[in-house]
Amino acid sequence: MVAISGLTIFVIGLNIHLQLHNPYWPALLILLSGIVASSRLEMNAHTSREILIGLFVGIMPQLLFLYLWL
């Protein structure tokens, strides 16, 4: 979750920075993050709390980077 959520926020920020009007990559990555999260829950590899922690750990550095970059 850390990797896919970090990549998702990075691609969204890159679309904002480069002023690309391409909704397909962010939408695909958001869908893939949901697939990754549900597969980790289905395999009983993580709890929902661990999934949320991984999501926030992946998002927070990217948001701080976007704040400094944009």
Side-chain angles (χ1 to χ4, degrees):
M1 278 311 298
V2 173
I4 194 73
S5 62
L7 179 65
T8 301
I9 299 300
F10 180 75
V11 167
I12 290 171
L14 198 60
N15 276 337
I16 292 170
H17 179 70
L18 297 176
Q19 296 178 354
L20 299 175
H21 301 289
N22 184 3
Y24 300 115
W25 282 108
L28 176 68
L29 287 170
I30 290 170
L31 177 70
L32 287 176
S33 349
I35 291 171
V36 167
S38 63
S39 70
R40 300 304 290 173
L41 288 172
E42 183 66 29
M43 292 188 313
N44 291 327
H46 296 292
T47 63
S48 59
R49 183 175 179 197
E50 291 171 340
I51 296 290
L52 287 175
I53 290 171
L55 180 74
F56 289 124
V57 167
I59 287 176
M60 291 312 290
Q62 294 299 321
L63 289 179
L64 291 173
F65 179 68
L66 285 176
Y67 175 73
L68 295 174
W69 184 31
L70 298 177

